[in-house]
Amino acid sequence: MTQPLAVATAARYRAYGPRQLNEISARFGIPAPVRETARLLSQVFPFRVNEYVLTNLIDWRQVPDDPIYQMVFPQPTMLSIKDTKRLAGLTGAELSSAVRDIRARLNPHPSGQRELNVPTLDGAELPGMQHKYRETVLYFPGHGQTCHAYCTYCFRWAQFVGDPDLQFAAPDPCRLVGYLGRHPEVSDVLVTGGDPLVMSTDRLRAHLEPILAVESVRTIRLGTKSVAYWPYRFTADRDADDLLRLFEQIVTTGRTVAVMAHFSHPRELDPEVAQHAVARIRATGAVVYCQAPLIARVNDQAEIWTRLWRAELGLGAVPYYLFVERDTGPHDYFKVPLARAVEIFQAAYRDLPGLARTVRGPVMSAKPGKVVVDGAAGEFLQLRFLQARDPALVGRPFLARYPAGAAWLDELALDPSTPADIAAAIQG
């Protein structure tokens, strides 16, 4: 049953955006040049933070090097010097045109998600849905296409910039339910965004309950950063108890509720309220799976991941994925070379107890599927498909040469011995 709150906590959500940068700077001592650079870059990259993140997660003594600060505030070299200077000299329509041009060059929809992932029903494309892997459909409810705070590295940054041509969003689940009815091979629905837990419980219920009418769907996944950025969603929000009762309701139907929690740094799990939020979620019968990308300047040290995975395990959550930062947005700022990523993952993995070795990585969510880098030997990386558009590729290993600094699949050179179907999937 849902755990009662040990202590009633008064917490009111307040978001801050570019217009509040002066206020944030005055409170926390951000120098004017740093503030103005953040304001300038926020015209390209979405910027949103909240009071909880500002006062509980950022160590202002370490700014600008603090990892949480790096995660939520636009940084000077996320854009090229040329593009930054261009933005600084424009206003009005010319500025809007330049912003659109820059965003278009930042690969807003990586891995073919708009060209290859959008499903159809009776010949019509379905808005707010993606179907890349046989068993799983992604669903983007329209009211959930924002977050309690934005991560600067987020590969879904295009969801938040206010351009409807870039956004995935579904007004309601009617077409999703129709599609699922014709695709009984789909067992999992991942409700994503954005963050579906920015919605009120009533709105979330309206999106989830119709899915329960589809018997072939056995797992409801909820992709969320809310435990890290606004844990009060599960403890003190007006409808927090209603949300947990909704989880319980779904679990009692015999389905799995999988909360796909994004924790990028162990500090996000230090506050007692975050730990209590995880406990309350688990008390409903839901399972908490933890995942995050490997990010330069944020978590690119093995000991950070060891601490994070141990903290997750200690709370009864499941360490699940360490991702490779996708080739979108400020990728050059955050990327970690694949060879280095393997070193970090393996060093962290070796220091884990057995129950935490559920984690997999480093994993690239690339166009053909999820590709894990199992190791490096000499000039070669050994790779393997964990998931694929073509299910026949799942579990299949292959080798590729890697140049120094290679940070994504398309920068590798496949070994000539690579089977033809794997080569075609990767090079297609």
Side-chain angles (χ1 to χ4, degrees):
M1 294 295 293
T2 300
Q3 288 189 351
L5 280 173
V7 178
T9 305
R12 180 176 177 273
Y13 177 78
R14 182 189 176 192
Y16 297 82
R19 293 181 180 178
Q20 287 78 43
L21 276 168
N22 286 349
E23 178 184 343
I24 296 171
S25 299
R27 287 178 61 192
F28 298 104
I30 301 175
V34 176
R35 177 196 66 211
E36 291 311 307
T37 298
R39 194 192 312 276
L40 184 67
L41 268 64
S42 70
Q43 296 180 91
V44 174
F45 301 115
F47 168 65
R48 181 185 179 96
V49 70
N50 66 56
E51 187 67 30
Y52 175 82
V53 174
L54 291 173
T55 58
N56 291 276
L57 298 185
I58 295 174
D59 182 350
W60 291 97
R61 299 166 299 179
Q62 302 299 322
V63 168
D65 297 327
D66 178 75
I68 310 300
Y69 179 82
Q70 290 279 329
M71 282 171 56
V72 295
F73 282 80
Q75 301 300 314
T77 54
M78 286 182 179
L79 286 181
S80 68
I81 294 175
K82 179 181 178 181
D83 281 336
T84 301
K85 288 183 177 178
R86 179 185 179 192
L87 290 177
L90 298 175
T91 59
E94 289 184 334
L95 175 60
S96 297
S97 177
V99 167
R100 286 193 298 270
D101 172 65
I102 293 170
R103 286 175 177 165
R105 289 189 275 109
L106 294 174
N107 191 21
H109 288 297
S111 304
Q113 62 180 9
R114 185 169 290 280
E115 299 85 0
L116 302 176
N117 293 4
V118 178
T120 60
L121 186 64
D122 296 329
E125 290 190 350
L126 299 178
M129 292 173 54
Q130 293 186 30
H131 191 183
K132 181 176 181 179
Y133 305 129
R134 178 179 57 193
E135 301 87 359
T136 305
V137 162
L138 275 62
Y139 175 58
F140 299 75
H143 290 105
Q145 299 316 304
T146 185
C147 294
H148 293 100
Y150 294 147
C151 295
T152 47
Y153 62 71
C154 183
F155 82 96
R156 294 210 189 278
W157 60 270
Q159 290 289 105
F160 314 131
V161 297
D163 186 340
D165 292 333
L166 295 179
Q167 189 181 67
F168 286 91
D172 59 60
C174 293
R175 280 174 281 193
L176 169 66
V177 170
Y179 183 80
L180 293 172
R182 297 195 195 178
H183 290 271
E185 73 276 13
V186 176
S187 59
D188 292 31
V189 173
L190 170 56
V191 188
T192 187
D195 191 325
L197 295 184
V198 302
M199 291 189 286
S200 69
T201 300
D202 285 345
R203 272 187 171 158
L204 181 63
R205 184 186 300 277
H207 285 279
L208 297 187
E209 284 189 336
I211 300 173
L212 302 181
V214 183
E215 186 61 28
S216 53
V217 174
R218 307 312 305 165
T219 300
I220 304 292
R221 305 189 200 182
L222 299 166
T224 184
K225 186 76 176 176
S226 55
V227 183
Y229 281 171
W230 188 248
Y232 299 115
R233 184 67 188 92
F234 307 95
T235 65
D237 273 5
R238 176 182 52 81
D239 60 347
D241 288 347
D242 291 338
L243 174 64
L244 299 175
R245 280 190 285 268
L246 175 60
F247 290 180
E248 288 177 341
Q249 173 192 337
I250 298 172
V251 170
T252 59
T253 70
R255 292 172 171 85
T256 297
V257 174
V259 176
M260 313 304 294
H262 295 254
F263 298 116
S264 309
H265 194 277
R267 193 186 301 165
E268 295 170 318
L269 282 170
D270 284 345
E272 184 177 348
V273 64
Q275 298 172 23
H276 190 49
V278 174
R280 296 199 90 206
I281 293 168
R282 294 187 62 240
T284 68
V287 184
V288 180
Y289 291 90
C290 305
Q291 56 193 28
L294 177 63
I295 300 295
R297 301 174 174 86
V298 172
N299 56 26
D300 55 341
Q301 299 175 41
E303 64 92 12
I304 291 176
W305 287 98
T306 300
R307 285 168 47 210
L308 177 60
W309 291 330
R310 283 179 174 270
E312 292 167 353
L313 180 66
L315 294 173
V318 182
Y320 188 47
Y321 274 132
L322 179 152
F323 286 114
V324 175
E325 172 67 351
R326 290 201 189 185
D327 55 341
T328 182
H331 180 244
D332 288 341
Y333 185 82
F334 285 122
K335 68 182 180 182
V336 176
L338 293 174
R340 175 61 181 151
V342 171
E343 292 176 359
I344 292 170
F345 178 83
Q346 292 180 344
Y349 191 85
R350 282 193 295 268
D351 283 344
L352 294 177
L355 289 178
R357 290 181 178 169
T358 51
V359 70
R360 297 177 287 185
V363 175
M364 291 175 279
S365 287
K367 184 181 292 186
K370 286 186 171 69
V371 177
V372 62
V373 186
D374 281 327
E379 61 182 356
F380 286 96
L381 295 176
Q382 180 167 312
L383 306 105
R384 175 170 49 96
F385 277 99
L386 291 179
Q387 184 60 284
R389 294 182 189 277
D390 178 1
L393 300 182
V394 174
R396 302 268 299 278
F398 59 98
L399 295 174
R401 288 183 175 87
Y402 64 97
W408 196 249
L409 187 63
D410 62 7
E411 299 175 42
L412 307 180
L414 293 177
D415 183 77
S417 66
T418 303
D421 55 346
I422 291 179
I426 292 172
Q427 297 168 349

PDB file of all heavy atoms in Angstrom, residues 141 143-149 160 191-199 222-227 229 262:
ATOM      1  N   PRO A 141       2.226  12.051 -24.748  1.00  0.00           N
ATOM      2  CA  PRO A 141       0.993  12.814 -24.487  1.00  0.00           C
ATOM      3  C   PRO A 141       1.261  14.317 -24.540  1.00  0.00           C
ATOM      4  O   PRO A 141       2.252  14.809 -23.992  1.00  0.00           O
ATOM      5  CB  PRO A 141       0.589  12.374 -23.083  1.00  0.00           C
ATOM      6  CG  PRO A 141       1.833  11.838 -22.469  1.00  0.00           C
ATOM      7  CD  PRO A 141       2.655  11.276 -23.583  1.00  0.00           C
ATOM      8  N   HIS A 143       0.144  17.009 -23.137  1.00  0.00           N
ATOM      9  CA  HIS A 143       0.295  17.809 -21.921  1.00  0.00           C
ATOM     10  C   HIS A 143       1.555  17.447 -21.138  1.00  0.00           C
ATOM     11  O   HIS A 143       1.858  18.104 -20.145  1.00  0.00           O
ATOM     12  CB  HIS A 143      -0.930  17.640 -21.020  1.00  0.00           C
ATOM     13  CG  HIS A 143      -2.167  18.273 -21.568  1.00  0.00           C
ATOM     14  ND1 HIS A 143      -3.190  17.532 -22.115  1.00  0.00           N
ATOM     15  CD2 HIS A 143      -2.541  19.575 -21.672  1.00  0.00           C
ATOM     16  CE1 HIS A 143      -4.152  18.344 -22.522  1.00  0.00           C
ATOM     17  NE2 HIS A 143      -3.792  19.589 -22.279  1.00  0.00           N
ATOM     18  N   GLY A 144       2.278  16.426 -21.576  1.00  0.00           N
ATOM     19  CA  GLY A 144       3.485  16.019 -20.868  1.00  0.00           C
ATOM     20  C   GLY A 144       4.764  16.397 -21.570  1.00  0.00           C
ATOM     21  O   GLY A 144       5.837  15.865 -21.249  1.00  0.00           O
ATOM     22  N   GLN A 145       4.684  17.337 -22.513  1.00  0.00           N
ATOM     23  CA  GLN A 145       5.875  17.668 -23.295  1.00  0.00           C
ATOM     24  C   GLN A 145       6.621  18.874 -22.731  1.00  0.00           C
ATOM     25  O   GLN A 145       6.924  19.849 -23.430  1.00  0.00           O
ATOM     26  CB  GLN A 145       5.490  17.855 -24.764  1.00  0.00           C
ATOM     27  CG  GLN A 145       4.895  16.596 -25.376  1.00  0.00           C
ATOM     28  CD  GLN A 145       5.661  15.336 -25.005  1.00  0.00           C
ATOM     29  OE1 GLN A 145       6.867  15.256 -25.238  1.00  0.00           O
ATOM     30  NE2 GLN A 145       4.989  14.353 -24.418  1.00  0.00           N
ATOM     31  N   THR A 146       6.883  18.797 -21.445  1.00  0.00           N
ATOM     32  CA  THR A 146       7.785  19.716 -20.762  1.00  0.00           C
ATOM     33  C   THR A 146       8.379  18.929 -19.604  1.00  0.00           C
ATOM     34  O   THR A 146       8.090  17.738 -19.439  1.00  0.00           O
ATOM     35  CB  THR A 146       7.054  20.989 -20.287  1.00  0.00           C
ATOM     36  OG1 THR A 146       8.002  21.895 -19.742  1.00  0.00           O
ATOM     37  CG2 THR A 146       6.011  20.669 -19.235  1.00  0.00           C
ATOM     38  N   CYS A 147       9.233  19.550 -18.786  1.00  0.00           N
ATOM     39  CA  CYS A 147       9.860  18.873 -17.651  1.00  0.00           C
ATOM     40  C   CYS A 147       9.922  19.837 -16.473  1.00  0.00           C
ATOM     41  O   CYS A 147       9.798  21.046 -16.641  1.00  0.00           O
ATOM     42  CB  CYS A 147      11.281  18.414 -17.988  1.00  0.00           C
ATOM     43  SG  CYS A 147      11.384  17.133 -19.259  1.00  0.00           S
ATOM     44  N   HIS A 148      10.159  19.296 -15.290  1.00  0.00           N
ATOM     45  CA  HIS A 148      10.315  20.146 -14.112  1.00  0.00           C
ATOM     46  C   HIS A 148      11.565  21.007 -14.215  1.00  0.00           C
ATOM     47  O   HIS A 148      11.634  22.097 -13.638  1.00  0.00           O
ATOM     48  CB  HIS A 148      10.363  19.290 -12.847  1.00  0.00           C
ATOM     49  CG  HIS A 148       9.070  18.608 -12.547  1.00  0.00           C
ATOM     50  ND1 HIS A 148       8.833  17.283 -12.844  1.00  0.00           N
ATOM     51  CD2 HIS A 148       7.915  19.082 -11.996  1.00  0.00           C
ATOM     52  CE1 HIS A 148       7.607  16.964 -12.477  1.00  0.00           C
ATOM     53  NE2 HIS A 148       7.019  18.030 -11.963  1.00  0.00           N
ATOM     54  N   ALA A 149      12.564  20.532 -14.934  1.00  0.00           N
ATOM     55  CA  ALA A 149      13.757  21.306 -15.301  1.00  0.00           C
ATOM     56  C   ALA A 149      14.327  20.634 -16.532  1.00  0.00           C
ATOM     57  O   ALA A 149      14.099  19.435 -16.755  1.00  0.00           O
ATOM     58  CB  ALA A 149      14.778  21.345 -14.168  1.00  0.00           C
ATOM     59  N   PHE A 160      11.113  20.961 -26.639  1.00  0.00           N
ATOM     60  CA  PHE A 160      10.867  22.030 -25.679  1.00  0.00           C
ATOM     61  C   PHE A 160      11.057  23.440 -26.231  1.00  0.00           C
ATOM     62  O   PHE A 160      10.974  24.406 -25.475  1.00  0.00           O
ATOM     63  CB  PHE A 160      11.802  21.866 -24.474  1.00  0.00           C
ATOM     64  CG  PHE A 160      11.883  20.464 -23.944  1.00  0.00           C
ATOM     65  CD1 PHE A 160      13.102  19.877 -23.700  1.00  0.00           C
ATOM     66  CD2 PHE A 160      10.729  19.735 -23.700  1.00  0.00           C
ATOM     67  CE1 PHE A 160      13.183  18.581 -23.218  1.00  0.00           C
ATOM     68  CE2 PHE A 160      10.804  18.438 -23.214  1.00  0.00           C
ATOM     69  CZ  PHE A 160      12.035  17.855 -22.976  1.00  0.00           C
ATOM     70  N   VAL A 191       5.554   5.775 -21.946  1.00  0.00           N
ATOM     71  CA  VAL A 191       4.979   7.113 -21.942  1.00  0.00           C
ATOM     72  C   VAL A 191       6.120   8.075 -21.639  1.00  0.00           C
ATOM     73  O   VAL A 191       6.763   7.998 -20.592  1.00  0.00           O
ATOM     74  CB  VAL A 191       3.858   7.235 -20.897  1.00  0.00           C
ATOM     75  CG1 VAL A 191       3.147   8.576 -21.033  1.00  0.00           C
ATOM     76  CG2 VAL A 191       2.864   6.092 -21.049  1.00  0.00           C
ATOM     77  N   THR A 192       6.379   8.980 -22.574  1.00  0.00           N
ATOM     78  CA  THR A 192       7.609   9.752 -22.510  1.00  0.00           C
ATOM     79  C   THR A 192       7.363  11.188 -22.927  1.00  0.00           C
ATOM     80  O   THR A 192       6.243  11.641 -23.067  1.00  0.00           O
ATOM     81  CB  THR A 192       8.691   9.054 -23.373  1.00  0.00           C
ATOM     82  OG1 THR A 192       9.949   9.708 -23.203  1.00  0.00           O
ATOM     83  CG2 THR A 192       8.325   9.037 -24.846  1.00  0.00           C
ATOM     84  N   GLY A 193       8.430  11.923 -23.126  1.00  0.00           N
ATOM     85  CA  GLY A 193       8.293  13.332 -23.446  1.00  0.00           C
ATOM     86  C   GLY A 193       9.605  13.976 -23.794  1.00  0.00           C
ATOM     87  O   GLY A 193      10.396  13.386 -24.513  1.00  0.00           O
ATOM     88  N   GLY A 194       9.813  15.073 -23.146  1.00  0.00           N
ATOM     89  CA  GLY A 194       9.191  15.612 -21.965  1.00  0.00           C
ATOM     90  C   GLY A 194       9.174  14.627 -20.788  1.00  0.00           C
ATOM     91  O   GLY A 194       9.956  13.717 -20.675  1.00  0.00           O
ATOM     92  N   ASP A 195       8.204  14.879 -19.924  1.00  0.00           N
ATOM     93  CA  ASP A 195       8.069  14.080 -18.717  1.00  0.00           C
ATOM     94  C   ASP A 195       6.583  13.945 -18.413  1.00  0.00           C
ATOM     95  O   ASP A 195       5.917  14.935 -18.084  1.00  0.00           O
ATOM     96  CB  ASP A 195       8.800  14.763 -17.553  1.00  0.00           C
ATOM     97  CG  ASP A 195       8.932  13.884 -16.335  1.00  0.00           C
ATOM     98  OD1 ASP A 195       8.008  13.092 -16.074  1.00  0.00           O
ATOM     99  OD2 ASP A 195       9.951  13.996 -15.638  1.00  0.00           O
ATOM    100  N   PRO A 196       6.026  12.731 -18.515  1.00  0.00           N
ATOM    101  CA  PRO A 196       4.585  12.582 -18.281  1.00  0.00           C
ATOM    102  C   PRO A 196       4.165  12.948 -16.865  1.00  0.00           C
ATOM    103  O   PRO A 196       2.992  13.244 -16.621  1.00  0.00           O
ATOM    104  CB  PRO A 196       4.336  11.100 -18.568  1.00  0.00           C
ATOM    105  CG  PRO A 196       5.665  10.436 -18.421  1.00  0.00           C
ATOM    106  CD  PRO A 196       6.671  11.447 -18.874  1.00  0.00           C
ATOM    107  N   LEU A 197       5.125  12.964 -15.918  1.00  0.00           N
ATOM    108  CA  LEU A 197       4.752  13.251 -14.539  1.00  0.00           C
ATOM    109  C   LEU A 197       4.703  14.739 -14.224  1.00  0.00           C
ATOM    110  O   LEU A 197       4.510  15.124 -13.066  1.00  0.00           O
ATOM    111  CB  LEU A 197       5.672  12.508 -13.585  1.00  0.00           C
ATOM    112  CG  LEU A 197       5.520  10.979 -13.695  1.00  0.00           C
ATOM    113  CD1 LEU A 197       6.377  10.266 -12.677  1.00  0.00           C
ATOM    114  CD2 LEU A 197       4.055  10.550 -13.539  1.00  0.00           C
ATOM    115  N   VAL A 198       4.839  15.594 -15.244  1.00  0.00           N
ATOM    116  CA  VAL A 198       4.473  16.997 -15.040  1.00  0.00           C
ATOM    117  C   VAL A 198       2.962  17.161 -15.101  1.00  0.00           C
ATOM    118  O   VAL A 198       2.426  18.176 -14.649  1.00  0.00           O
ATOM    119  CB  VAL A 198       5.138  17.930 -16.086  1.00  0.00           C
ATOM    120  CG1 VAL A 198       6.641  17.814 -16.049  1.00  0.00           C
ATOM    121  CG2 VAL A 198       4.616  17.654 -17.497  1.00  0.00           C
ATOM    122  N   MET A 199       2.263  16.172 -15.653  1.00  0.00           N
ATOM    123  CA  MET A 199       0.809  16.245 -15.744  1.00  0.00           C
ATOM    124  C   MET A 199       0.178  15.993 -14.382  1.00  0.00           C
ATOM    125  O   MET A 199       0.736  15.298 -13.531  1.00  0.00           O
ATOM    126  CB  MET A 199       0.291  15.200 -16.738  1.00  0.00           C
ATOM    127  CG  MET A 199       0.642  15.493 -18.178  1.00  0.00           C
ATOM    128  SD  MET A 199      -0.220  14.377 -19.330  1.00  0.00           S
ATOM    129  CE  MET A 199       0.686  12.857 -19.087  1.00  0.00           C
ATOM    130  N   LEU A 222       7.075   4.661 -17.597  1.00  0.00           N
ATOM    131  CA  LEU A 222       6.954   6.118 -17.462  1.00  0.00           C
ATOM    132  C   LEU A 222       8.366   6.693 -17.409  1.00  0.00           C
ATOM    133  O   LEU A 222       9.080   6.525 -16.410  1.00  0.00           O
ATOM    134  CB  LEU A 222       6.182   6.479 -16.197  1.00  0.00           C
ATOM    135  CG  LEU A 222       4.737   5.962 -16.122  1.00  0.00           C
ATOM    136  CD1 LEU A 222       4.203   6.086 -14.703  1.00  0.00           C
ATOM    137  CD2 LEU A 222       3.846   6.702 -17.105  1.00  0.00           C
ATOM    138  N   GLY A 223       8.780   7.358 -18.489  1.00  0.00           N
ATOM    139  CA  GLY A 223      10.095   7.979 -18.520  1.00  0.00           C
ATOM    140  C   GLY A 223      10.059   9.304 -17.784  1.00  0.00           C
ATOM    141  O   GLY A 223       9.294  10.205 -18.151  1.00  0.00           O
ATOM    142  N   THR A 224      10.881   9.452 -16.728  1.00  0.00           N
ATOM    143  CA  THR A 224      10.763  10.644 -15.895  1.00  0.00           C
ATOM    144  C   THR A 224      12.075  11.034 -15.237  1.00  0.00           C
ATOM    145  O   THR A 224      12.894  10.190 -14.888  1.00  0.00           O
ATOM    146  CB  THR A 224       9.692  10.436 -14.800  1.00  0.00           C
ATOM    147  OG1 THR A 224       9.520  11.644 -14.062  1.00  0.00           O
ATOM    148  CG2 THR A 224      10.069   9.305 -13.860  1.00  0.00           C
ATOM    149  N   LYS A 225      12.259  12.341 -15.087  1.00  0.00           N
ATOM    150  CA  LYS A 225      13.354  12.911 -14.308  1.00  0.00           C
ATOM    151  C   LYS A 225      12.817  13.511 -13.008  1.00  0.00           C
ATOM    152  O   LYS A 225      13.547  14.139 -12.248  1.00  0.00           O
ATOM    153  CB  LYS A 225      14.053  13.996 -15.148  1.00  0.00           C
ATOM    154  CG  LYS A 225      15.310  14.609 -14.558  1.00  0.00           C
ATOM    155  CD  LYS A 225      16.523  13.727 -14.653  1.00  0.00           C
ATOM    156  CE  LYS A 225      17.760  14.458 -14.137  1.00  0.00           C
ATOM    157  NZ  LYS A 225      18.968  13.623 -14.112  1.00  0.00           N
ATOM    158  N   SER A 226      11.544  13.301 -12.731  1.00  0.00           N
ATOM    159  CA  SER A 226      10.896  14.011 -11.631  1.00  0.00           C
ATOM    160  C   SER A 226      11.448  13.621 -10.260  1.00  0.00           C
ATOM    161  O   SER A 226      11.474  14.461  -9.355  1.00  0.00           O
ATOM    162  CB  SER A 226       9.379  13.778 -11.666  1.00  0.00           C
ATOM    163  OG  SER A 226       9.085  12.393 -11.652  1.00  0.00           O
ATOM    164  N   VAL A 227      11.882  12.384 -10.081  1.00  0.00           N
ATOM    165  CA  VAL A 227      12.422  12.000  -8.772  1.00  0.00           C
ATOM    166  C   VAL A 227      13.678  12.811  -8.463  1.00  0.00           C
ATOM    167  O   VAL A 227      13.938  13.176  -7.319  1.00  0.00           O
ATOM    168  CB  VAL A 227      12.728  10.496  -8.714  1.00  0.00           C
ATOM    169  CG1 VAL A 227      13.230  10.112  -7.321  1.00  0.00           C
ATOM    170  CG2 VAL A 227      11.503   9.677  -9.073  1.00  0.00           C
ATOM    171  N   TYR A 229      14.484  15.931 -10.060  1.00  0.00           N
ATOM    172  CA  TYR A 229      14.286  17.374 -10.181  1.00  0.00           C
ATOM    173  C   TYR A 229      13.079  17.909  -9.414  1.00  0.00           C
ATOM    174  O   TYR A 229      13.001  19.104  -9.167  1.00  0.00           O
ATOM    175  CB  TYR A 229      14.141  17.751 -11.653  1.00  0.00           C
ATOM    176  CG  TYR A 229      15.437  17.825 -12.429  1.00  0.00           C
ATOM    177  CD1 TYR A 229      15.417  17.973 -13.819  1.00  0.00           C
ATOM    178  CD2 TYR A 229      16.676  17.761 -11.803  1.00  0.00           C
ATOM    179  CE1 TYR A 229      16.593  18.060 -14.549  1.00  0.00           C
ATOM    180  CE2 TYR A 229      17.849  17.843 -12.531  1.00  0.00           C
ATOM    181  CZ  TYR A 229      17.806  17.983 -13.911  1.00  0.00           C
ATOM    182  OH  TYR A 229      18.976  18.070 -14.635  1.00  0.00           O
ATOM    183  N   HIS A 262      15.538   8.867 -14.430  1.00  0.00           N
ATOM    184  CA  HIS A 262      16.800   9.384 -14.966  1.00  0.00           C
ATOM    185  C   HIS A 262      17.602  10.036 -13.836  1.00  0.00           C
ATOM    186  O   HIS A 262      17.242  11.117 -13.365  1.00  0.00           O
ATOM    187  CB  HIS A 262      16.533  10.387 -16.087  1.00  0.00           C
ATOM    188  CG  HIS A 262      15.878   9.773 -17.287  1.00  0.00           C
ATOM    189  ND1 HIS A 262      16.541   9.530 -18.464  1.00  0.00           N
ATOM    190  CD2 HIS A 262      14.617   9.317 -17.476  1.00  0.00           C
ATOM    191  CE1 HIS A 262      15.722   8.959 -19.331  1.00  0.00           C
ATOM    192  NE2 HIS A 262      14.542   8.826 -18.756  1.00  0.00           N
TER     193      HIS A 262
END
